[in-house]
Amino acid sequence: MTHANTGMMLRVDLSRRTVREEPIKTELARAYIGGRGLGTRLICDEVDAKVDPLDPANKLILAAGPLTGTTAMCGGRYMAITKGALTGAIACSNSGGNFGPELKYAGYDMIVLEGAASEPMILVIEDKAAALRPADGLWGKTVHETEDALHAQLGPDYKCVSIGPAGEKLVRFACILNDKARAAGRSGVGAVMGSKRLKAVAVRGTGGLTAADPPAFRAACLDAFAKLKAGPITGTGLPKFGTAILVNVINESGVFPTRNFQQGQFESAEQISGETIAEEILIRNRACMACPMACGRVTAIRDGKFQGRGEGPEYESIWALAADVGVSDLAAATKANYICNELGMDTITAGATVACAMELYEKGAISKSEAGCELRFGDADVLVEMITKMGRREGFGDVLAEGAARVAKKYGRPELFMGAKGQEFPAYDPRGVLGMGLQYATSNRGGCHVRGYMIAPEILSVPQKMDPHAAEGKAAMNIALQNLTAALDSSGVCLFVVFSIGAAELTAMLKSATGAAYDVDEFLRVGERIWNLEKLFNQRAGFSKKDDTLPRRMLSEPMPGGPAGGKTVPLDEMMKEYYCLRGWDADGRPTKEKLAALDLQSAS
Amino acid sequence: MSKALLIEPDKCTSCRLCELACSARNAGAFRPTRSRIQVAVNVDEAFYFPMVCFQCPDAPCVEQCPTQALERDPSTGLVRVLEDLCNECGVCETACPYGVIRCMDGKARKCELCGGEPECVRFCAPGALRYEPTEQWPSESRQAYAGQLRELCEEARR
């Protein structure tokens, strides 16, 4: 299966400083599509699930999908797959921009990074010529400085991924950034890159990709294009206001987590909304490659103490760096967002960790002398200071750099960590969107919104309207979305396409691009296979039924007010149904029969 | 009435679907380096500018081509490469002030408007590229575009 795939990968051993090319097994590419699926399969085959994520024996895979680099709608994606430094679970973080396509034009579908170098290195790829080089003078630099230096050194056409100081210092939620502000954000994939002492990958590719059936592929792309343009979210909402259009929507639904999930509505939501961002700080939209929506926001804070320029904040970021920490100052939250991008940290975990620490402080678990300041909700200066310190592991920032789960445990209040499997929740309080609660508890990479986005049916009525306060039908819908998303990610397109197109359109693009005879059923079965494989990895890593859960606050502290007032998440009820519909046993383990049906016997 | 490719750089989002669509149509592969339209991007300045042949009435590439391999169709205004006459000498590349004619894969290549159905326009979501009748438009939009280019050049010099 070549055509849209290159069929080749690059295996880079940082310990031995070797770089070699390897063909990708056709049958594996068919069974796992590419990207997240294929990367996860390689991690499962080659990495001991019990390994410390920061040990050289862990591997980090940067992988594009078959649709990456073509006219497939929003096909600009690549994924970073590894055992996550934050969670110890399987991790796959997804990013757009221009890096993934460029990697394929250079002749590779993926890069497998192994071992660890004794001194900082960079990987430079120019059309099938790849070499490790010393990262002369780059270690310690911010993401922006690093990209600028690489462009000055290699030429402006190189596309780069890099880590910032946070990745170097093994901040557990360090991310990998490309095109300066696009991030493979979650689970600490950047810390794994830092543990390998790989500062950056710069790639230049001048080759091309073809579709197996060009006329059919063109027609499938144009069909998806028309539907994305006509869709209210993909054709108007995201282009006009970016992801932060959700601030008002989610706040009005009463599920906009505020002050570490102590409330479900933020009184200053209007001041940080997508509409306000568009009015006050937006300079221009910026698209990832091949995306007709262009939800990216180039912004600037023109004056004052939070002056700066960069991209974002996205919805989840503005939530984490404003509502979750009780800060109503858009300039401060935006500045914190810029700092996260420059130091290379996941904005969600960064903000949520400060929020958790603020609650610990206000409840007396952290003292002022330990924190070095009054760590109170709503203090914009403290927010910016803490974000900066955690990215550099300075002072109390060194404690925060471990993430909220470890911070809450350290100070004896583990129940104040708002997350699952060690990863902080994103910007939806599950007490008022019950399916999202099930999603958080079952997500293979911990608290996460992009594994099965239940907000689509529960709030946005896509593909159909579901009552957010009812448990009924949520398990089946969540499973369907989880499987679809796994297959979609693996194809190399952006999750946002699902607001206007589904498995039929995706399968049409994938089939005509690769020449493999996928149909909708098989496409979704690949998604199910990937989900089960991720689950198997986590089981081997030591996760079990007890980890498929939510913090006590979600299960037994009723939402204090608003449209979701009085609600908690009836998780047990949904979970039983979920396990059953997944074909897993009562302890949430895939059965032999299920694994056989998914051709996963060899992986178990 | 003839049509022209109209460009509104302010609407461009830098998605580069035009490059992918053009290279697939004209070079047989999704291959931005072979695209006849290319988006000039400066990330820091949030500057995106689709660069493609203007089909200049007094085209320097046509005037300077030593083998007469470039011709301007008087009725449509389209500037075409006559492949049989092109010897890839590269004079047109240096003659073009915009860098939108380039020697690739053995011949000079430039936008020839896909025979009247520009593929880049088909894939441009924000409407930065349009292909429309030109009675009053072409000179106006070209002047606006040229004005923006001039400003940018001046800015770069400062």
Side-chain angles (χ1 to χ4, degrees), chain A residues 2-36:
Chain A
T2 51
H3 296 294
N5 287 308
T6 69
M8 299 301 292
M9 68 178 180
L10 203 56
R11 198 178 275 278
V12 179
D13 186 326
L14 277 299
S15 299
R16 296 193 179 87
R17 302 196 185 177
T18 56
V19 177
R20 67 174 202 271
E21 212 178 82
E22 249 178 56
I24 293 170
K25 288 188 188 119
T26 310
E27 64 278 11
L28 272 192
R30 170 73 195 260
Y32 292 92
I33 299 178
R36 173 177 164 188

Side-chain angles (χ1 to χ4, degrees), chain A residues 69-71 73 98 105 148 159 180 204-211 217-218 221-222 225 229 283-292 294 298 309, chain B residues 9-17 19-21 24 28-34 41 43-49 119 121-127:
Chain A
T70 70
T71 48
M73 288 302 116
N98 294 270
Y105 304 144
D148 285 341
K159 309 297 180 198
K180 289 198 170 170
R204 173 63 175 155
T206 62
L209 305 162
T210 56
F217 182 66
R218 179 178 182 272
C221 291
L222 284 172
F225 180 78
K229 278 208 73 167
I283 293 173
R284 194 169 187 178
N285 293 6
R286 184 176 172 210
C288 296
M289 193 159 182
C291 174
V298 179
R309 188 182 162 107
Chain B
D10 289 348
K11 289 186 179 170
C12 178
T13 63
S14 77
C15 80
R16 303 170 68 203
L17 270 167
E19 297 180 14
L20 294 167
F30 303 107
R31 192 177 186 189
T33 52
R34 292 294 182 273
V41 177
V43 171
D44 292 332
E45 300 299 322
F47 164 80
Y48 334 127
F49 218 83
E119 190 75 349
V121 173
R122 192 78 184 75
F123 277 86
C124 182

Side-chain angles (χ1 to χ4, degrees), chain A residues 534-553:
Chain A
E534 291 173 341
K535 181 77 180 175
L536 289 176
F537 181 89
N538 284 353
Q539 277 179 200
R540 287 207 298 265
F543 290 89
S544 65
K545 184 184 181 180
K546 68 173 175 17
D547 301 297
D548 288 351
T549 190
L550 299 173
R552 194 163 75 203
R553 181 167 289 165

Side-chain angles (χ1 to χ4, degrees), chain A residues 354-366:
Chain A
V354 174
C356 178
M358 284 172 164
E359 188 173 358
L360 287 164
Y361 180 88
E362 292 197 347
K363 292 204 155 67
I366 297 177

Side-chain angles (χ1 to χ4, degrees), chain B residues 95-108:
Chain B
C96 175
Y98 311 107
V100 291
I101 182 165
R102 293 182 302 143
C103 291
M104 299 186 285
D105 304 322
K107 298 288 170 192

Side-chain angles (χ1 to χ4, degrees), chain A residues 339-400:
Chain A
I339 295 168
C340 285
N341 285 349
E342 282 164 18
L343 299 183
M345 287 186 290
D346 171 24
T347 52
I348 299 177
T349 292
T353 300
V354 174
C356 178
M358 284 172 164
E359 188 173 358
L360 287 164
Y361 180 88
E362 292 197 347
K363 292 204 155 67
I366 297 177
S367 68
K368 187 179 169 185
S369 64
E370 269 172 301
C373 64
E374 297 238 30
L375 202 51
R376 293 195 182 284
F377 283 110
D379 191 324
D381 293 309
V382 164
L383 167 72
V384 172
E385 184 192 337
M386 285 299 144
I387 294 290
T388 308
K389 284 186 166 168
M390 65 165 57
R392 298 190 180 276
R393 279 193 181 269
E394 288 168 4
F396 191 62
D398 192 33
V399 173
L400 298 179

Side-chain angles (χ1 to χ4, degrees), chain A residues 440-461:
Chain A
Y440 287 162
T442 58
S443 165
N444 288 325
R445 70 167 193 176
C448 165
H449 59 295
V450 288
R451 284 295 173 272
Y453 191 58
M454 290 298 286
I455 297 303
E458 295 187 295
I459 305 271
L460 305 170
S461 303

